[in-house]
Amino acid sequence: RMYAPHQPDLISRQLFEIHTQVYAAIGYLERRGTPTTVADLAAHRVVIYGGDARPPIPRVNWLTELCDENGTPPPSTLTVNNIYGIAQAVRAGAGIAALPSYVAADATELVRVLADLDGPKVSAHFVYAEELRNSGRISALRDFVLRKVAEGAQA
């Protein structure tokens, strides 16, 4: 989960923190220019998350919130209801977006813009019901996930 559970009958183990930054495709920046300030976003298209009552991560649209806070005119937006869909739209040159760093990590066609901006960090949690505490299957899955997270942290 991308939210820490509040139910007392759930066991949660924080796995890692997800960082979000601002990215655009090289081709988009060649056509539209590279923003250097939040105010510059008013002249750009921003791809945002929408269409769901409960977004996948808290403050998923922090980039447009930042525009509002700074009094920047709202950018033109494209709304997509899936984080990977947002990444695909940005790769295709549809605009600029705040993306989790793991989504943009292997995308050679994406460039980080507004490098001084870091979005909110989101904690990923491994969550299971307390009644499954002694389940061999859950223990095996938990150990596997923790091992993969540790391997990824070393890379």
Side-chain angles (χ1 to χ4, degrees), residues 30-125:
E30 289 171 351
R31 288 190 317 275
R32 303 288 303 265
T34 302
T36 57
T37 66
V38 172
D40 291 347
L41 292 176
H44 287 272
R45 295 193 64 187
V46 176
V47 184
I48 63 171
Y49 182 87
D52 192 357
R54 183 172 178 172
I57 59 175
R59 295 195 56 219
V60 68
N61 290 327
W62 64 270
L63 188 57
T64 54
E65 291 172 11
L66 188 60
C67 290
D68 292 342
E69 291 169 8
N70 288 336
T72 300
S76 171
T77 59
L78 168 65
T79 303
V80 180
N81 68 353
N82 179 289
I83 295 292
Y84 289 102
I86 292 171
Q88 288 301 102
V90 173
R91 282 186 182 109
I96 297 170
L99 293 169
S101 54
Y102 70 86
V103 172
D106 295 328
T108 57
E109 68 276 15
L110 295 183
V111 175
R112 185 170 176 197
V113 296
L114 300 173
D116 57 328
L117 287 182
D118 284 317
K121 294 174 181 73
V122 178
S123 294
H125 298 264

